[in-house]
Amino acid sequence: MAKKNVLLVGESWMSSATHYKGFDQFGSVTFHLGAEPLVEALKDSDFALTYLPAHEAVEAFPFEREGLAQYDAIILSDIGANSLLLPPAVWLHSRTVPNRLKLIRDFAADGGGLLMIGGYFSFQGIDGKARWRRTPVEEALPVTCLPYDDRVEIPEGAALTIEAAEGILAGLSGTWPPLLGVNEVEAKPGADVLISLPEEHGGHPLLVTGTFGKGRTAAWTSDIGPHWLSPAFCAWEGYGRLWKNLLGWLTTVG
């Protein structure tokens, strides 16, 4: 059986630091990838993952609908809307280009799977800077973004207990390792909220599924890995099963 092709967009960043030693100082720059747990979990699975880091997506994400035709699902994770709205052609040269947020929406409407994973630049994000609210992508998702900083930080950790799991949650019953935060969203009417945080942590949606046109869409409001997912969560045997189950559902036609 042919593998399903999945495009993961985002999950990279560069950090700049200045180090002070008495009178002297020097700078350093480091590069980071955040999706290694997912990449490892999908090895030798039914899914072929193409990983397009955030800094490459600015220019490399397709500008035409045909460029997405090879994929069965798109994952947006920790990448703000500006990275797709403001490529150099627009930002530096004031030229017009296709709106890639509309391409993603149309991809879902035509039968593709669409998943947004939480993070500081997912949904509305830190200081509201992710800016997915009222975009064509939000139109396709099963949740609505808030108009402000939507982070819910849970430094003490939130452990979930799943009862009688089936469907996407098959094989995932029991108590999950802790997660340390989510983006707060609102489920749209008709969407299915499969998991919510415990009431003591606000009861916010964690996993929401829905449909848009011919496609299936989902929102996982916590992270793909640390920091919001604890190392124990990423090492948990259910981590890989969760993503395989969810991608299997997203890429099922009809």
Side-chain angles (χ1 to χ4, degrees):
M1 184 175 64
K3 291 191 174 188
K4 301 291 183 66
N5 293 311
V6 178
L7 177 63
L8 169 62
V9 187
E11 285 299 337
S12 75
W13 66 97
M14 286 167 269
S15 300
S16 175
T18 302
H19 309 265
Y20 297 92
K21 296 190 175 184
F23 181 88
D24 299 302
Q25 60 84 23
F26 67 94
S28 65
V29 177
T30 54
F31 174 73
H32 309 268
L33 293 171
E36 293 95 331
L38 180 64
V39 172
E40 181 64 27
L42 294 184
K43 283 183 178 178
D44 303 318
S45 73
D46 294 333
F47 305 97
L49 184 70
T50 298
Y51 187 0
L52 185 59
H55 67 288
E56 295 181 13
V58 174
E59 292 194 81
F61 189 93
F63 285 88
E64 302 295 338
R65 177 68 181 84
E66 293 74 17
L68 298 175
Q70 62 184 300
Y71 300 108
D72 298 286
I74 296 172
I75 302 173
L76 300 172
S77 184
D78 216 351
I79 181 171
N82 282 329
S83 291
L84 298 180
L85 289 170
L86 297 173
V90 176
W91 175 243
L92 298 178
H93 306 293
S94 299
R95 297 200 298 265
T96 61
V97 301
N99 187 327
R100 292 181 287 182
L101 306 193
K102 292 181 179 179
L103 294 184
I104 295 171
R105 177 197 62 194
D106 295 345
F107 170 85
D110 291 341
L114 176 62
L115 167 63
M116 182 172 284
I117 294 175
Y120 273 21
F121 277 91
S122 298
F123 301 102
Q124 201 67 355
I126 189 168
D127 299 331
K129 291 180 178 178
R131 294 190 66 253
W132 290 105
R133 177 176 166 83
R134 293 186 176 176
T135 66
V137 168
E138 185 198 50
E139 184 182 342
L141 292 173
V143 298
T144 300
C145 303
L146 302 181
Y148 42 76
D149 189 321
D150 60 8
R151 292 170 301 131
V152 179
E153 302 286 359
I154 312 172
E156 71 276 30
L160 308 170
T161 300
I162 305 299
E163 306 286 349
E166 59 183 6
I168 292 174
L169 301 179
L172 295 169
S173 60
T175 300
W176 292 13
L179 49 83
L180 305 179
V182 299
N183 298 91
E184 182 181 353
V185 299
E186 295 178 349
K188 291 179 179 177
D192 293 318
V193 180
L194 302 187
I195 315 175
S196 297
L197 292 183
E199 286 301 322
E200 64 180 301
H201 300 298
H204 304 295
L206 174 62
L207 179 58
V208 185
T209 61
T211 59
F212 182 74
K214 298 177 182 178
R216 296 182 172 190
T217 65
W220 167 264
T221 61
S222 193
D223 220 328
I224 205 170
H227 80 282
W228 273 350
L229 292 191
S230 63
F233 197 110
C234 295
W236 171 49
E237 62 180 9
Y239 175 89
R241 183 183 295 272
L242 171 65
W243 298 117
K244 292 171 188 175
N245 286 358
L246 182 52
L247 288 173
W249 180 84
L250 280 170
T251 57
T252 299
V253 178

PDB file of all heavy atoms in Angstrom, residues 212-241:
ATOM      1  N   PHE A 212     -14.245  20.299   6.364  1.00  0.00           N
ATOM      2  CA  PHE A 212     -14.355  21.544   5.611  1.00  0.00           C
ATOM      3  C   PHE A 212     -14.411  21.166   4.141  1.00  0.00           C
ATOM      4  O   PHE A 212     -13.448  20.596   3.601  1.00  0.00           O
ATOM      5  CB  PHE A 212     -13.165  22.455   5.876  1.00  0.00           C
ATOM      6  CG  PHE A 212     -13.258  23.779   5.159  1.00  0.00           C
ATOM      7  CD1 PHE A 212     -14.126  24.755   5.600  1.00  0.00           C
ATOM      8  CD2 PHE A 212     -12.491  24.032   4.036  1.00  0.00           C
ATOM      9  CE1 PHE A 212     -14.240  25.971   4.936  1.00  0.00           C
ATOM     10  CE2 PHE A 212     -12.589  25.230   3.359  1.00  0.00           C
ATOM     11  CZ  PHE A 212     -13.458  26.215   3.817  1.00  0.00           C
ATOM     12  N   GLY A 213     -15.534  21.447   3.496  1.00  0.00           N
ATOM     13  CA  GLY A 213     -15.709  20.991   2.127  1.00  0.00           C
ATOM     14  C   GLY A 213     -15.596  19.476   2.084  1.00  0.00           C
ATOM     15  O   GLY A 213     -16.250  18.765   2.847  1.00  0.00           O
ATOM     16  N   LYS A 214     -14.712  18.965   1.239  1.00  0.00           N
ATOM     17  CA  LYS A 214     -14.503  17.533   1.123  1.00  0.00           C
ATOM     18  C   LYS A 214     -13.422  17.017   2.076  1.00  0.00           C
ATOM     19  O   LYS A 214     -13.182  15.810   2.138  1.00  0.00           O
ATOM     20  CB  LYS A 214     -14.105  17.187  -0.316  1.00  0.00           C
ATOM     21  CG  LYS A 214     -15.163  17.536  -1.356  1.00  0.00           C
ATOM     22  CD  LYS A 214     -14.647  17.228  -2.762  1.00  0.00           C
ATOM     23  CE  LYS A 214     -15.662  17.611  -3.826  1.00  0.00           C
ATOM     24  NZ  LYS A 214     -15.123  17.359  -5.190  1.00  0.00           N
ATOM     25  N   GLY A 215     -12.762  17.914   2.785  1.00  0.00           N
ATOM     26  CA  GLY A 215     -11.618  17.523   3.596  1.00  0.00           C
ATOM     27  C   GLY A 215     -11.915  17.400   5.077  1.00  0.00           C
ATOM     28  O   GLY A 215     -12.955  17.856   5.568  1.00  0.00           O
ATOM     29  N   ARG A 216     -10.964  16.789   5.771  1.00  0.00           N
ATOM     30  CA  ARG A 216     -11.035  16.656   7.223  1.00  0.00           C
ATOM     31  C   ARG A 216      -9.980  17.564   7.852  1.00  0.00           C
ATOM     32  O   ARG A 216      -8.865  17.670   7.341  1.00  0.00           O
ATOM     33  CB  ARG A 216     -10.796  15.211   7.637  1.00  0.00           C
ATOM     34  CG  ARG A 216     -11.875  14.252   7.142  1.00  0.00           C
ATOM     35  CD  ARG A 216     -11.642  12.834   7.610  1.00  0.00           C
ATOM     36  NE  ARG A 216     -12.774  11.972   7.292  1.00  0.00           N
ATOM     37  CZ  ARG A 216     -12.920  10.734   7.742  1.00  0.00           C
ATOM     38  NH1 ARG A 216     -11.985  10.192   8.531  1.00  0.00           N
ATOM     39  NH2 ARG A 216     -13.982  10.026   7.427  1.00  0.00           N
ATOM     40  N   THR A 217     -10.349  18.209   8.952  1.00  0.00           N
ATOM     41  CA  THR A 217      -9.435  19.141   9.601  1.00  0.00           C
ATOM     42  C   THR A 217      -9.395  18.868  11.096  1.00  0.00           C
ATOM     43  O   THR A 217     -10.332  18.300  11.674  1.00  0.00           O
ATOM     44  CB  THR A 217      -9.840  20.601   9.342  1.00  0.00           C
ATOM     45  OG1 THR A 217     -11.103  20.868   9.964  1.00  0.00           O
ATOM     46  CG2 THR A 217      -9.945  20.880   7.845  1.00  0.00           C
ATOM     47  N   ALA A 218      -8.303  19.297  11.734  1.00  0.00           N
ATOM     48  CA  ALA A 218      -8.144  19.051  13.166  1.00  0.00           C
ATOM     49  C   ALA A 218      -7.264  20.122  13.786  1.00  0.00           C
ATOM     50  O   ALA A 218      -6.461  20.777  13.110  1.00  0.00           O
ATOM     51  CB  ALA A 218      -7.536  17.662  13.410  1.00  0.00           C
ATOM     52  N   ALA A 219      -7.420  20.273  15.084  1.00  0.00           N
ATOM     53  CA  ALA A 219      -6.582  21.166  15.878  1.00  0.00           C
ATOM     54  C   ALA A 219      -6.113  20.410  17.112  1.00  0.00           C
ATOM     55  O   ALA A 219      -6.931  19.846  17.844  1.00  0.00           O
ATOM     56  CB  ALA A 219      -7.362  22.421  16.288  1.00  0.00           C
ATOM     57  N   TRP A 220      -4.800  20.365  17.307  1.00  0.00           N
ATOM     58  CA  TRP A 220      -4.191  19.867  18.541  1.00  0.00           C
ATOM     59  C   TRP A 220      -3.562  21.090  19.187  1.00  0.00           C
ATOM     60  O   TRP A 220      -2.620  21.669  18.643  1.00  0.00           O
ATOM     61  CB  TRP A 220      -3.150  18.790  18.228  1.00  0.00           C
ATOM     62  CG  TRP A 220      -2.243  18.431  19.363  1.00  0.00           C
ATOM     63  CD1 TRP A 220      -0.986  18.933  19.608  1.00  0.00           C
ATOM     64  CD2 TRP A 220      -2.500  17.503  20.431  1.00  0.00           C
ATOM     65  NE1 TRP A 220      -0.449  18.375  20.752  1.00  0.00           N
ATOM     66  CE2 TRP A 220      -1.366  17.492  21.279  1.00  0.00           C
ATOM     67  CE3 TRP A 220      -3.586  16.676  20.752  1.00  0.00           C
ATOM     68  CZ2 TRP A 220      -1.278  16.691  22.410  1.00  0.00           C
ATOM     69  CZ3 TRP A 220      -3.501  15.883  21.890  1.00  0.00           C
ATOM     70  CH2 TRP A 220      -2.370  15.891  22.700  1.00  0.00           C
ATOM     71  N   THR A 221      -4.076  21.524  20.320  1.00  0.00           N
ATOM     72  CA  THR A 221      -3.728  22.846  20.831  1.00  0.00           C
ATOM     73  C   THR A 221      -2.480  22.864  21.710  1.00  0.00           C
ATOM     74  O   THR A 221      -2.052  23.946  22.118  1.00  0.00           O
ATOM     75  CB  THR A 221      -4.907  23.464  21.607  1.00  0.00           C
ATOM     76  OG1 THR A 221      -5.226  22.625  22.735  1.00  0.00           O
ATOM     77  CG2 THR A 221      -6.125  23.610  20.707  1.00  0.00           C
ATOM     78  N   SER A 222      -1.895  21.714  21.998  1.00  0.00           N
ATOM     79  CA  SER A 222      -0.605  21.703  22.676  1.00  0.00           C
ATOM     80  C   SER A 222       0.490  21.539  21.635  1.00  0.00           C
ATOM     81  O   SER A 222       0.244  21.663  20.432  1.00  0.00           O
ATOM     82  CB  SER A 222      -0.542  20.599  23.738  1.00  0.00           C
ATOM     83  OG  SER A 222       0.583  20.791  24.581  1.00  0.00           O
ATOM     84  N   ASP A 223       1.702  21.268  22.087  1.00  0.00           N
ATOM     85  CA  ASP A 223       2.880  21.300  21.232  1.00  0.00           C
ATOM     86  C   ASP A 223       3.084  19.981  20.501  1.00  0.00           C
ATOM     87  O   ASP A 223       2.413  18.983  20.752  1.00  0.00           O
ATOM     88  CB  ASP A 223       4.107  21.606  22.100  1.00  0.00           C
ATOM     89  CG  ASP A 223       5.077  22.546  21.439  1.00  0.00           C
ATOM     90  OD1 ASP A 223       5.196  22.522  20.211  1.00  0.00           O
ATOM     91  OD2 ASP A 223       5.743  23.306  22.175  1.00  0.00           O
ATOM     92  N   ILE A 224       4.066  19.972  19.614  1.00  0.00           N
ATOM     93  CA  ILE A 224       4.495  18.764  18.912  1.00  0.00           C
ATOM     94  C   ILE A 224       5.592  18.055  19.710  1.00  0.00           C
ATOM     95  O   ILE A 224       5.896  16.896  19.499  1.00  0.00           O
ATOM     96  CB  ILE A 224       5.001  19.148  17.502  1.00  0.00           C
ATOM     97  CG1 ILE A 224       4.880  17.987  16.528  1.00  0.00           C
ATOM     98  CG2 ILE A 224       6.432  19.676  17.530  1.00  0.00           C
ATOM     99  CD1 ILE A 224       5.142  18.398  15.084  1.00  0.00           C
ATOM    100  N   GLY A 225       6.200  18.783  20.635  1.00  0.00           N
ATOM    101  CA  GLY A 225       7.302  18.278  21.463  1.00  0.00           C
ATOM    102  C   GLY A 225       7.560  19.268  22.587  1.00  0.00           C
ATOM    103  O   GLY A 225       6.727  20.141  22.853  1.00  0.00           O
ATOM    104  N   PRO A 226       8.699  19.179  23.248  1.00  0.00           N
ATOM    105  CA  PRO A 226       9.015  20.177  24.275  1.00  0.00           C
ATOM    106  C   PRO A 226       9.058  21.581  23.659  1.00  0.00           C
ATOM    107  O   PRO A 226       9.444  21.717  22.507  1.00  0.00           O
ATOM    108  CB  PRO A 226      10.406  19.742  24.755  1.00  0.00           C
ATOM    109  CG  PRO A 226      10.498  18.286  24.396  1.00  0.00           C
ATOM    110  CD  PRO A 226       9.736  18.152  23.112  1.00  0.00           C
ATOM    111  N   HIS A 227       8.502  22.678  24.322  1.00  0.00           N
ATOM    112  CA  HIS A 227       8.451  22.616  25.761  1.00  0.00           C
ATOM    113  C   HIS A 227       7.077  22.231  26.309  1.00  0.00           C
ATOM    114  O   HIS A 227       6.974  21.781  27.458  1.00  0.00           O
ATOM    115  CB  HIS A 227       8.915  23.959  26.366  1.00  0.00           C
ATOM    116  CG  HIS A 227       7.924  25.076  26.404  1.00  0.00           C
ATOM    117  ND1 HIS A 227       7.601  25.832  25.318  1.00  0.00           N
ATOM    118  CD2 HIS A 227       7.158  25.530  27.432  1.00  0.00           C
ATOM    119  CE1 HIS A 227       6.702  26.729  25.656  1.00  0.00           C
ATOM    120  NE2 HIS A 227       6.416  26.573  26.929  1.00  0.00           N
ATOM    121  N   TRP A 228       5.972  22.467  25.580  1.00  0.00           N
ATOM    122  CA  TRP A 228       4.669  22.177  26.165  1.00  0.00           C
ATOM    123  C   TRP A 228       4.421  20.690  26.362  1.00  0.00           C
ATOM    124  O   TRP A 228       3.634  20.313  27.240  1.00  0.00           O
ATOM    125  CB  TRP A 228       3.563  22.787  25.313  1.00  0.00           C
ATOM    126  CG  TRP A 228       3.264  24.223  25.676  1.00  0.00           C
ATOM    127  CD1 TRP A 228       3.720  24.921  26.761  1.00  0.00           C
ATOM    128  CD2 TRP A 228       2.431  25.121  24.946  1.00  0.00           C
ATOM    129  NE1 TRP A 228       3.226  26.199  26.748  1.00  0.00           N
ATOM    130  CE2 TRP A 228       2.426  26.351  25.648  1.00  0.00           C
ATOM    131  CE3 TRP A 228       1.695  25.015  23.774  1.00  0.00           C
ATOM    132  CZ2 TRP A 228       1.705  27.464  25.208  1.00  0.00           C
ATOM    133  CZ3 TRP A 228       0.980  26.113  23.332  1.00  0.00           C
ATOM    134  CH2 TRP A 228       0.984  27.329  24.048  1.00  0.00           C
ATOM    135  N   LEU A 229       5.030  19.840  25.541  1.00  0.00           N
ATOM    136  CA  LEU A 229       4.969  18.410  25.822  1.00  0.00           C
ATOM    137  C   LEU A 229       6.196  18.048  26.649  1.00  0.00           C
ATOM    138  O   LEU A 229       7.324  18.364  26.269  1.00  0.00           O
ATOM    139  CB  LEU A 229       4.954  17.586  24.528  1.00  0.00           C
ATOM    140  CG  LEU A 229       3.711  17.683  23.642  1.00  0.00           C
ATOM    141  CD1 LEU A 229       3.756  16.610  22.562  1.00  0.00           C
ATOM    142  CD2 LEU A 229       2.420  17.576  24.439  1.00  0.00           C
ATOM    143  N   SER A 230       5.969  17.393  27.756  1.00  0.00           N
ATOM    144  CA  SER A 230       7.080  16.985  28.606  1.00  0.00           C
ATOM    145  C   SER A 230       7.916  15.918  27.907  1.00  0.00           C
ATOM    146  O   SER A 230       7.419  15.218  27.011  1.00  0.00           O
ATOM    147  CB  SER A 230       6.546  16.422  29.927  1.00  0.00           C
ATOM    148  OG  SER A 230       5.775  15.252  29.687  1.00  0.00           O
ATOM    149  N   PRO A 231       9.188  15.782  28.269  1.00  0.00           N
ATOM    150  CA  PRO A 231       9.989  14.685  27.710  1.00  0.00           C
ATOM    151  C   PRO A 231       9.319  13.324  27.903  1.00  0.00           C
ATOM    152  O   PRO A 231       9.407  12.453  27.033  1.00  0.00           O
ATOM    153  CB  PRO A 231      11.308  14.793  28.486  1.00  0.00           C
ATOM    154  CG  PRO A 231      11.410  16.244  28.831  1.00  0.00           C
ATOM    155  CD  PRO A 231       9.995  16.673  29.128  1.00  0.00           C
ATOM    156  N   ALA A 232       8.640  13.155  29.041  1.00  0.00           N
ATOM    157  CA  ALA A 232       7.940  11.889  29.292  1.00  0.00           C
ATOM    158  C   ALA A 232       6.830  11.668  28.275  1.00  0.00           C
ATOM    159  O   ALA A 232       6.573  10.535  27.843  1.00  0.00           O
ATOM    160  CB  ALA A 232       7.366  11.876  30.711  1.00  0.00           C
ATOM    161  N   PHE A 233       6.161  12.749  27.864  1.00  0.00           N
ATOM    162  CA  PHE A 233       5.092  12.621  26.865  1.00  0.00           C
ATOM    163  C   PHE A 233       5.680  12.182  25.526  1.00  0.00           C
ATOM    164  O   PHE A 233       5.145  11.297  24.856  1.00  0.00           O
ATOM    165  CB  PHE A 233       4.367  13.965  26.715  1.00  0.00           C
ATOM    166  CG  PHE A 233       3.020  13.865  26.052  1.00  0.00           C
ATOM    167  CD1 PHE A 233       1.864  14.065  26.780  1.00  0.00           C
ATOM    168  CD2 PHE A 233       2.903  13.576  24.701  1.00  0.00           C
ATOM    169  CE1 PHE A 233       0.606  13.976  26.175  1.00  0.00           C
ATOM    170  CE2 PHE A 233       1.666  13.478  24.078  1.00  0.00           C
ATOM    171  CZ  PHE A 233       0.520  13.681  24.815  1.00  0.00           C
ATOM    172  N   CYS A 234       6.801  12.783  25.140  1.00  0.00           N
ATOM    173  CA  CYS A 234       7.413  12.445  23.850  1.00  0.00           C
ATOM    174  C   CYS A 234       7.982  11.033  23.838  1.00  0.00           C
ATOM    175  O   CYS A 234       8.051  10.398  22.777  1.00  0.00           O
ATOM    176  CB  CYS A 234       8.509  13.457  23.525  1.00  0.00           C
ATOM    177  SG  CYS A 234       7.884  15.129  23.271  1.00  0.00           S
ATOM    178  N   ALA A 235       8.404  10.541  25.020  1.00  0.00           N
ATOM    179  CA  ALA A 235       8.957   9.190  25.114  1.00  0.00           C
ATOM    180  C   ALA A 235       7.873   8.131  25.310  1.00  0.00           C
ATOM    181  O   ALA A 235       8.144   6.930  25.191  1.00  0.00           O
ATOM    182  CB  ALA A 235       9.960   9.120  26.264  1.00  0.00           C
ATOM    183  N   TRP A 236       6.674   8.554  25.604  1.00  0.00           N
ATOM    184  CA  TRP A 236       5.535   7.665  25.855  1.00  0.00           C
ATOM    185  C   TRP A 236       5.179   6.900  24.587  1.00  0.00           C
ATOM    186  O   TRP A 236       5.169   7.445  23.486  1.00  0.00           O
ATOM    187  CB  TRP A 236       4.373   8.532  26.325  1.00  0.00           C
ATOM    188  CG  TRP A 236       3.040   7.912  26.456  1.00  0.00           C
ATOM    189  CD1 TRP A 236       2.717   6.755  27.088  1.00  0.00           C
ATOM    190  CD2 TRP A 236       1.798   8.462  25.972  1.00  0.00           C
ATOM    191  NE1 TRP A 236       1.355   6.529  27.028  1.00  0.00           N
ATOM    192  CE2 TRP A 236       0.779   7.564  26.356  1.00  0.00           C
ATOM    193  CE3 TRP A 236       1.462   9.613  25.272  1.00  0.00           C
ATOM    194  CZ2 TRP A 236      -0.564   7.790  26.041  1.00  0.00           C
ATOM    195  CZ3 TRP A 236       0.147   9.848  24.964  1.00  0.00           C
ATOM    196  CH2 TRP A 236      -0.861   8.943  25.346  1.00  0.00           C
ATOM    197  N   GLU A 237       4.862   5.615  24.728  1.00  0.00           N
ATOM    198  CA  GLU A 237       4.520   4.790  23.565  1.00  0.00           C
ATOM    199  C   GLU A 237       3.262   5.292  22.863  1.00  0.00           C
ATOM    200  O   GLU A 237       3.058   5.059  21.674  1.00  0.00           O
ATOM    201  CB  GLU A 237       4.338   3.340  23.979  1.00  0.00           C
ATOM    202  CG  GLU A 237       3.206   3.105  24.968  1.00  0.00           C
ATOM    203  CD  GLU A 237       3.053   1.647  25.360  1.00  0.00           C
ATOM    204  OE1 GLU A 237       3.928   0.841  24.992  1.00  0.00           O
ATOM    205  OE2 GLU A 237       2.053   1.330  26.027  1.00  0.00           O
ATOM    206  N   GLY A 238       2.418   6.011  23.596  1.00  0.00           N
ATOM    207  CA  GLY A 238       1.203   6.541  22.986  1.00  0.00           C
ATOM    208  C   GLY A 238       1.440   7.748  22.101  1.00  0.00           C
ATOM    209  O   GLY A 238       0.560   8.121  21.319  1.00  0.00           O
ATOM    210  N   TYR A 239       2.628   8.377  22.204  1.00  0.00           N
ATOM    211  CA  TYR A 239       2.918   9.570  21.401  1.00  0.00           C
ATOM    212  C   TYR A 239       2.810   9.246  19.910  1.00  0.00           C
ATOM    213  O   TYR A 239       2.091   9.913  19.165  1.00  0.00           O
ATOM    214  CB  TYR A 239       4.305  10.111  21.744  1.00  0.00           C
ATOM    215  CG  TYR A 239       4.756  11.273  20.887  1.00  0.00           C
ATOM    216  CD1 TYR A 239       4.453  12.583  21.251  1.00  0.00           C
ATOM    217  CD2 TYR A 239       5.482  11.063  19.721  1.00  0.00           C
ATOM    218  CE1 TYR A 239       4.859  13.649  20.465  1.00  0.00           C
ATOM    219  CE2 TYR A 239       5.885  12.123  18.926  1.00  0.00           C
ATOM    220  CZ  TYR A 239       5.586  13.410  19.308  1.00  0.00           C
ATOM    221  OH  TYR A 239       5.995  14.463  18.511  1.00  0.00           O
ATOM    222  N   GLY A 240       3.533   8.236  19.469  1.00  0.00           N
ATOM    223  CA  GLY A 240       3.483   7.870  18.058  1.00  0.00           C
ATOM    224  C   GLY A 240       2.113   7.389  17.630  1.00  0.00           C
ATOM    225  O   GLY A 240       1.643   7.693  16.522  1.00  0.00           O
ATOM    226  N   ARG A 241       1.449   6.631  18.494  1.00  0.00           N
ATOM    227  CA  ARG A 241       0.114   6.127  18.158  1.00  0.00           C
ATOM    228  C   ARG A 241      -0.867   7.283  17.961  1.00  0.00           C
ATOM    229  O   ARG A 241      -1.697   7.262  17.048  1.00  0.00           O
ATOM    230  CB  ARG A 241      -0.384   5.194  19.261  1.00  0.00           C
ATOM    231  CG  ARG A 241      -1.742   4.564  18.954  1.00  0.00           C
ATOM    232  CD  ARG A 241      -2.219   3.701  20.109  1.00  0.00           C
ATOM    233  NE  ARG A 241      -1.352   2.560  20.322  1.00  0.00           N
ATOM    234  CZ  ARG A 241      -1.500   1.396  19.700  1.00  0.00           C
ATOM    235  NH1 ARG A 241      -2.471   1.240  18.816  1.00  0.00           N
ATOM    236  NH2 ARG A 241      -0.684   0.395  19.953  1.00  0.00           N
TER     237      ARG A 241
END
